[in-house]
Amino acid sequence: MKYIDEFNDPDLARRLLDEIHATATRPWALMEVCGGQTHAIIRHGIDQLLPDKVELIHGPGCPVCVTPLEVIDKALEIAARPEVIFCSFGDMLRVPGTGRDLFRVKGEGGDVRVVYSPLDALDLARKNPDRQVVFFAIGFETTAPANAMAVHQARRTGLDNFSLLVSHVRVPPAIEAIMTAPQCRVQGFLAAGHVCSVMGTAEYPELADRHHVPIVVTGFEPLDILEGIRRAVHQLERGEHRVENAYPRAVREQGNPAALRMLEEVFEVADRNWRGIGRIPASGWRLADAFRDYDAEHRFDVTGIRTEEPAVCRAGEVLQGLIKPTECEAFGTACTPRTPLGATMVSSEGACAAYYLYRRMTDGPAQQGSRIPREELNTIG
């Protein structure tokens, strides 16, 4: 399959690894921002194939995981209302709120439906004019244009029984928050290619210059990730801090102009809370005033929400890259995909889910001591 098989070539992977091993002379810590990249890294054992000097830190790039608990609880409250058809992507249904999740609401009689696009929810609103249809609009810059388009179409066609519960977040402010945290160890970033395919790379050079970190835009296949690591390590060894695009088959500097125009019309930048992290200035979007009537929080006036995270769950530290999932005492015991304490265990992009799925159960903080020999590269491809 074009653009997939050719980026899983074991021989090319070995050559990239050889170059990374030959280049790294000092310890370097890189953060992959995207949860999809985290899953690829753990699935293929890429972190264990790297030299001991190169550490990969898992970042907060899982949109499901960083959706604030108070927004999850608002979703549960709205979804339980008899007049509502609540629509969501499937990976949100098991995300724990305070005491329950959307599956529980559905089991208790709420009309909760899995859809594959906000336009599916829009179609439900057309077919059910006597019901309020709410779409749970979460995600990074990647999913925001489609959600903006759904609201734009609802207003254009006069559809007044459709609304969004918005919890969109933006990557560059998250990088800023990571780099200014006192406990930060990150020296370079692998930026998410799908985000940059929408937004372009214009926001990243200032971050790279201000914090003296290389930022390499990277894809999601093994060779994409290894090439991103290779470029970042080369920059670090040379004392450079530039933005590089290692994903040119999908990313252009200017991004997607049509998507950017739609985002600018429908949304406005706002401060956002990130689950497990806290409030990050200008790190999200909300509906602009012209589209406020389609804001589910405004329409349903959900108030009095009291949130409470499980005390034993350390998902917030995982999201900040402070610990690996296996360093949480609840990982794999009290917290599993069937009995999740945090969103990082149930999301398809969560770091805890990746470690559990690919049986990375005991690595703990000292992963360098249990590396996979490079001759076992037949696991790639």
Side-chain angles (χ1 to χ4, degrees):
M1 184 180 295
K2 189 172 178 59
Y3 290 147
I4 295 180
D5 289 347
E6 57 266 53
F7 289 90
N8 286 267
D9 187 305
D11 293 330
L12 292 177
R14 185 176 294 108
R15 287 164 56 185
L16 287 169
L17 280 163
D18 286 342
E19 186 169 347
I20 294 168
H21 277 258
T23 302
T25 64
R26 287 175 284 172
W28 301 116
L30 307 177
M31 175 176 280
E32 82 275 3
V33 174
C34 175
Q37 292 170 341
T38 300
H39 272 251
I41 287 164
I42 302 304
R43 176 187 178 189
H44 296 288
I46 290 173
D47 57 329
Q48 295 184 323
L49 293 166
L50 295 171
D52 289 352
K53 293 183 176 66
V54 179
E55 178 189 2
L56 295 181
I57 299 174
H58 312 316
C62 166
V64 173
C65 303
V66 302
T67 300
L69 182 57
E70 61 266 26
V71 176
I72 298 292
D73 284 353
K74 287 179 180 180
L76 298 173
E77 172 68 23
I78 293 170
R81 299 192 179 192
E83 74 274 19
V84 169
I85 300 174
F86 194 87
C87 299
S88 172
F89 295 137
D91 54 0
M92 292 301 299
L93 269 63
R94 291 292 307 279
V95 177
T98 301
R100 58 179 180 167
D101 57 24
L102 283 167
F103 264 130
R104 174 70 66 84
V105 172
K106 183 176 177 66
E108 293 171 350
D111 194 347
V112 178
R113 306 191 191 185
V114 174
V115 296
Y116 298 97
S117 160
L119 298 181
D120 294 339
L122 201 65
D123 189 51
L124 280 171
R126 294 191 188 100
K127 293 177 179 177
N128 295 272
D130 58 332
R131 304 282 299 279
Q132 289 290 327
V133 177
V134 180
F135 179 72
F136 202 174
I138 68 121
F140 285 90
E141 294 94 330
T142 320
T143 57
N147 294 334
M149 175 61 77
V151 169
H152 188 274
Q153 288 193 16
R155 191 177 72 164
R156 182 174 58 82
T157 58
L159 199 63
D160 60 4
N161 65 325
F162 175 79
S163 60
L164 298 182
L165 180 60
V166 178
S167 187
H168 278 302
V169 286
R170 302 173 57 241
V171 169
I175 292 178
E176 176 71 24
I178 289 165
M179 291 308 302
T180 54
Q183 65 272 48
C184 177
R185 299 189 297 112
V186 179
Q187 296 162 291
F189 287 92
L190 305 181
H194 51 5
V195 168
C196 293
S197 70
V198 174
M199 303 301 295
T201 59
E203 293 183 89
Y204 293 97
E206 182 181 353
L207 287 168
D209 288 340
R210 183 163 61 252
H211 298 292
H212 301 283
V213 291
I215 299 176
V216 182
V217 180
T218 310
F220 306 91
E221 300 302 323
L223 295 189
D224 288 320
I225 293 168
L226 288 171
E227 173 63 6
I229 295 168
R230 184 193 71 83
R231 294 193 188 199
V233 170
H234 267 286
Q235 283 198 49
L236 288 166
E237 289 284 337
R238 295 169 180 168
E240 299 173 351
H241 48 271
R242 295 179 288 106
V243 176
E244 287 191 69
N245 180 10
Y247 198 37
R249 67 186 187 276
V251 172
R252 301 291 180 269
E253 182 179 359
Q254 70 274 21
N256 184 321
L260 292 172
R261 286 194 297 271
M262 181 61 64
L263 290 173
E264 185 176 0
E265 178 181 354
V266 175
F267 290 120
E268 61 186 24
V269 173
D271 298 345
R272 276 284 174 192
N273 287 325
W274 293 49
R275 188 170 189 171
I277 297 174
R279 197 163 190 81
I280 302 178
S283 65
W285 279 308
R286 64 187 175 200
L287 287 168
D289 287 343
F291 294 87
R292 192 57 50 84
D293 289 344
Y294 296 92
D295 186 334
E297 288 193 62
H298 174 73
R299 178 172 293 189
F300 293 95
D301 190 27
V302 180
T303 59
I305 297 292
R306 295 182 179 180
T307 64
E308 184 179 355
E309 293 278 14
V312 70
C313 179
R314 300 179 68 185
E317 294 171 83
V318 173
L319 287 168
Q320 296 176 67
L322 300 178
I323 65 170
K324 296 293 194 291
T326 47
E327 294 177 74
C328 176
E329 293 80 0
F331 174 80
T333 55
C335 184
T336 71
R338 288 186 177 272
T339 59
L341 297 178
T344 51
M345 181 56 87
V346 292
S347 169
S348 61
E349 294 189 357
C352 296
Y355 274 61
Y356 193 93
L357 176 62
Y358 299 114
R359 314 309 295 169
R360 191 73 71 83
M361 306 297 288
T362 59
D363 284 346
Q367 289 184 309
Q368 292 84 350
S370 57
R371 299 280 174 170
I372 297 173
R374 275 188 288 163
E375 55 268 23
E376 293 186 15
L377 276 172
N378 59 341
T379 60
I380 294 179

